[in-house]
Amino acid sequence: MTDRTDGPRGLYDFFEQDPEGADAAFFGRKTNSDRRGFLKGAGLATMGAMIGTAIPFHRNMPAGFIPAAFANEDVLTGKDGLTLLNDRPINAETPPHLLDDPITPTARHFIRNNGHPPEDVDADTWTLTVDGLVDNPMTLTIAELGEKFENHTMALTIECGGNGRAAFDPPAKGNQWTLGAVGCSDWTGVRLKDVLNAAGVKDNVVYTAHVGADSHLSGNPDKLPISRGMTIEKAMTDNVLIAWAQNGAPIHPNNGAPLRLVVPGWPGSVSHKWLKRIYLRDIVHDGPKMTGTSYRVPNRPVAPGEKVEKEDFEIIERMPVKSLITAPQTGTASGMKAEIRGHAWSGDRKVTRLDVSIDFGASWQQADLDDPVNEGAWQNWRTTVAFPQAGYYEVWARATDDSGEQQPFALAWNPKGYLNNTMHRIALTVS
């Protein structure tokens, strides 16, 4: 991948910081009221000319979107059908209809990077250091991890905290994720709690801190692109893994090969990739993207556009209840009956009910909902709906968890565009 240090780098930085301003400045683009397409064609001709051809489905293009044609062609090697949002760092999401599998294939697992991935990812020489406030600091190879501790394979859901950011109005800065920054692969490794118990957790520990081998976008070797952590209570749960395999094979390089944390139910940023070190602290970790407003939300409901002081932000822990319709694909034709299916999940909780509506929420039909295959996995669901007559329909999905939390219809706005868990809706034309 090319290291952008001049013009192209500015383009991606510009879109990261102010996606809609970049749309207007770079393409002359204005979107429709739903923040998709090109209002009265504004900017469409410019973008088409830069790509070199027409864009047939331009009406669906989200605001703040950089066509993949402007990125290097090889950044998504080993991936299938992902939508590239940025290639510096690489960020790509999966369209909902490509997430239909009960277990997400590696080729369709989203990518969320903060820095440049390391070039040397040799699993034979890779080591992990566990230190800080422990009785027995240790450095282990991946082979030693596998030999010294019980191995586990678990289906675990990872979701970016900013999944759904593209729906925020006023817009929130950052990658304009729509729906596909989520996946549930099978991960193989050892429990973090087993490793920490072997290291000996001191009584005053309150937080973990994670360090990876990726490098800062600035090229400064003294800077980390990200270093997050979690409460020691979360770290000691049974489904937090130090993983070296994804779906029975080595982890994809852009998903953290050869070693990563997998922390289901909390923002994906906690599931540190290219893992090199875990150290324990007696304070809340204050590494890059742990302080300020990163992965934090206001401690109270705020009005759209309201300015919130930094001291009024709280760290995101569990992710909210959510669901996704994976079949049929939105915008397609249907007969008078259709099977609707998808997934549902809710942080550290279990989803207890999934309902669908075909009449804009006036009535609801309960779907068949599977139990999770293990704690931390999403839950698969399905139902068959019958349409009363031909025409345009929307299918809405609404999940409810075991604490009674239910997906809302309206978006709860926050300045950073996190935790959008509004109901997923698809459009079908019935004939």
Side-chain angles (χ1 to χ4, degrees):
M1 184 180 70
T2 302
D3 183 5
R4 291 187 159 88
T5 56
D6 43 30
R9 174 182 176 180
L11 168 65
Y12 283 86
D13 289 345
F14 195 7
F15 272 82
E16 169 77 16
Q17 294 301 315
D18 185 6
E20 293 203 347
D23 262 346
F26 198 75
F27 301 116
R29 180 185 179 197
K30 296 181 179 179
T31 61
N32 295 285
S33 59
D34 62 357
R35 299 184 66 237
R36 289 182 175 271
F38 296 76
L39 182 64
K40 297 180 180 178
L44 179 59
T46 299
M47 185 180 288
M50 295 178 70
I51 292 174
T53 188
I55 308 172
F57 295 107
H58 55 79
R59 179 61 182 85
N60 301 324
M61 187 177 290
F65 181 82
I66 307 175
F70 296 162
N72 289 333
E73 296 180 357
D74 63 348
V75 297
L76 294 182
T77 298
K79 294 293 182 177
D80 175 24
L82 271 63
T83 301
L84 185 67
L85 302 184
N86 198 343
D87 79 338
R88 191 186 180 280
I90 300 170
N91 291 286
E93 66 175 342
T94 313
H97 69 281
L98 295 183
L99 287 171
D100 194 42
D101 298 271
I103 298 297
T104 307
T106 302
R108 291 183 174 174
H109 198 286
F110 79 99
I111 299 170
R112 172 44 170 136
N113 292 351
N114 287 274
H116 293 304
E119 294 183 2
D120 183 3
V121 291
D122 186 347
D124 292 334
T125 58
W126 197 270
T127 59
L128 171 67
T129 296
V130 179
D131 60 2
L133 297 176
V134 299
D135 298 322
N136 306 299
M138 51 186 169
T139 297
L140 301 166
T141 65
I142 294 176
E144 288 171 334
L145 279 170
E147 293 164 359
K148 292 178 180 293
F149 302 98
E150 184 178 356
N151 292 196
H152 298 272
T153 296
M154 305 181 76
L156 300 173
T157 305
I158 301 176
E159 182 183 15
C160 178
N163 196 23
R165 181 178 287 126
F168 279 71
D169 187 18
K173 296 178 181 179
N175 289 294
Q176 297 301 293
W177 304 106
T178 59
L179 299 161
V182 63
C184 183
S185 292
D186 276 335
W187 300 95
T188 300
V190 298
R191 286 178 172 142
L192 174 60
K193 66 177 287 187
D194 293 344
V195 176
L196 294 183
N197 281 332
V201 179
K202 293 186 179 293
D203 292 340
N204 57 339
V205 169
V206 298
Y207 233 80
T208 67
H210 315 148
V211 179
D214 48 337
S215 58
H216 196 273
L217 295 176
S218 68
N220 185 339
D222 296 324
K223 284 187 175 182
L224 292 173
I226 186 170
S227 176
R228 289 180 51 75
M230 60 186 142
T231 64
I232 191 62
E233 291 79 12
K234 176 65 175 177
M236 300 300 281
T237 54
D238 287 339
N239 60 2
V240 175
L241 295 185
I242 302 172
W244 57 74
Q246 180 179 11
N247 295 321
I251 299 171
H252 185 279
N254 271 311
N255 291 131
L259 195 69
R260 69 169 297 167
L261 278 172
V262 183
V263 186
W266 285 34
S269 55
V270 182
S271 294
H272 211 99
K273 300 195 287 188
W274 310 293
L275 186 66
K276 291 295 293 182
R277 182 188 179 202
I278 299 171
Y279 61 104
L280 303 188
R281 308 193 66 182
D282 59 359
I283 60 171
V284 174
H285 183 45
D286 55 0
K289 300 201 174 182
M290 275 297 299
T291 59
T293 59
S294 294
Y295 300 103
R296 293 174 179 242
V297 292
N299 58 12
R300 63 185 188 280
V302 297
E306 180 180 340
K307 179 177 173 57
V308 182
E309 299 300 324
K310 287 184 178 180
E311 58 267 24
D312 291 332
F313 282 80
E314 296 179 337
I315 297 171
I316 298 169
E317 292 186 349
R318 66 168 303 274
M319 297 288 285
V321 62
K322 198 165 184 178
S323 62
L324 188 68
I325 301 171
T326 58
Q329 182 178 354
T330 190
T332 58
S334 171
M336 299 303 292
K337 288 187 176 182
E339 183 186 32
I340 314 297
R341 59 181 182 265
H343 315 296
W345 60 97
S346 184
D348 297 325
R349 301 174 184 167
K350 181 180 178 181
V351 176
T352 54
R353 185 178 177 113
L354 192 291
D355 296 287
V356 299
S357 175
I358 62 170
D359 56 9
F360 303 101
S363 63
W364 294 89
Q365 171 180 322
Q366 187 172 356
D368 294 326
L369 176 67
D370 296 341
D371 284 334
V373 295
N374 54 250
E375 188 176 353
W378 64 20
Q379 296 169 240
N380 306 306
W381 60 266
R382 71 210 57 80
T383 192
T384 299
V385 297
F387 301 102
Q389 63 186 65
Y392 170 83
Y393 289 86
E394 290 190 7
V395 181
W396 298 2
R398 183 183 68 187
T400 304
D401 69 21
D402 57 10
S403 291
E405 183 180 335
Q406 188 176 83
Q407 283 184 268
F409 174 81
L411 179 68
W413 188 89
N414 62 81
K416 298 291 287 185
Y418 293 127
L419 305 185
N420 177 3
N421 72 323
T422 52
M423 291 182 282
H424 186 200
R425 302 150 55 199
I426 65 167
L428 295 177
T429 301
V430 173
S431 58

